[in-house]
Amino acid sequence: MHNTQAIEWMPFGEMAIRMQFGTSVSDVTQRQITQAMAQIDAQNIPYIQEMIPAYTTLTVLYDAIYLLTQGIKNPAQAVIETLKACVSVDAATSAATTKIIDIPVCYGGEYGPDLEEVASYHQLSVKEVIKRHSTPHYLIYMLGFAPGFPYLGGLDETIATPRKKSPRLKIEAGSVGIAGSQTGIYPIETPGGWQIIGRTPLALFQPEKMPPTLLEAGAMIRFVPISAADFEEMMA
């Protein structure tokens, strides 16, 4: 077991606790963070407001004023003790139980203007780049940069490609790109310097819904190649 003594607990400002799960970015660490979030959420602690996962940390935001009105003189320490009582993460948590989300992607053409450049950079065929990009299952480490933007682990290193020297002023929502050893999906229209190799018709960020993001940290995705006709049909 990876018990609470193996987690580093520290106040993070006056209204948050940061839990540090080691220093190495890995699938095991991410599963531990996801497991800890589920254990905390299951307790329905009234003063816990939000949990923010990252590569090796989980930041828990709490209502310090609520605790002070309850006569708690040291809210941070009280929250740490409460969290320690409900968190016990297993280093051997099975990846087999992880939720997998299929992301349809139309590669190349107007939807992936940099696909041929990526293929040329690696002296591969376009077909081979698509295969190597769509074969792995990608773990979502965290969401950030833009609402619903997934930071993914699992890109085949043979197609890792540097960012563009001159970022685009406009990248369409749903664009799938590569930047260095990472791949990701732009949930909203935004400037960016990633190599765009495709686009998904799925809406990753819908602010009118709850939750507003399609993806979540701890889940896994796989990219499923589709045709331009399929893309247009799914967008209709």
Side-chain angles (χ1 to χ4, degrees), residues 139-202:
L139 177 63
I140 303 172
Y141 282 103
M142 59 183 177
L143 303 180
F145 164 61
F149 185 98
Y151 284 84
L152 306 174
L155 180 69
D156 187 327
E157 288 293 333
T158 63
I159 57 172
T161 311
R163 294 170 180 263
K164 301 188 76 64
K165 293 182 180 179
S166 299
R168 290 185 173 89
L169 297 179
K170 176 183 175 181
I171 294 180
E172 298 288 346
S175 293
V176 177
I178 293 174
S181 60
Q182 287 192 313
T183 187
I185 314 167
Y186 283 79
I188 60 175
E189 182 183 301
T190 178
W194 290 44
Q195 304 282 355
I196 304 304
I197 62 173
R199 194 187 307 169
T200 178
L202 299 184

Side-chain angles (χ1 to χ4, degrees), residues 1-18:
M1 292 290 288
H2 180 128
N3 60 33
T4 55
Q5 292 182 346
I7 302 171
E8 185 178 352
W9 310 76
M10 65 202 85
F12 193 64
E14 296 181 349
M15 302 184 74
I17 300 298
R18 172 163 287 183

Side-chain angles (χ1 to χ4, degrees), residues 15 37 40 63 65 81 85-87 98 105 127 129 134 138 154 170 177 185 189 194 196 201 209 213-214 226:
M15 302 184 74
M37 289 178 66
I40 295 169
D63 186 345
I65 295 176
E81 294 305 319
C86 64
V87 171
T98 302
V105 178
K127 184 176 180 180
V129 172
S134 60
Y138 297 88
K170 176 183 175 181
I185 314 167
E189 182 183 301
W194 290 44
I196 304 304
K209 292 189 175 181
T213 56
L214 174 66
I226 61 173

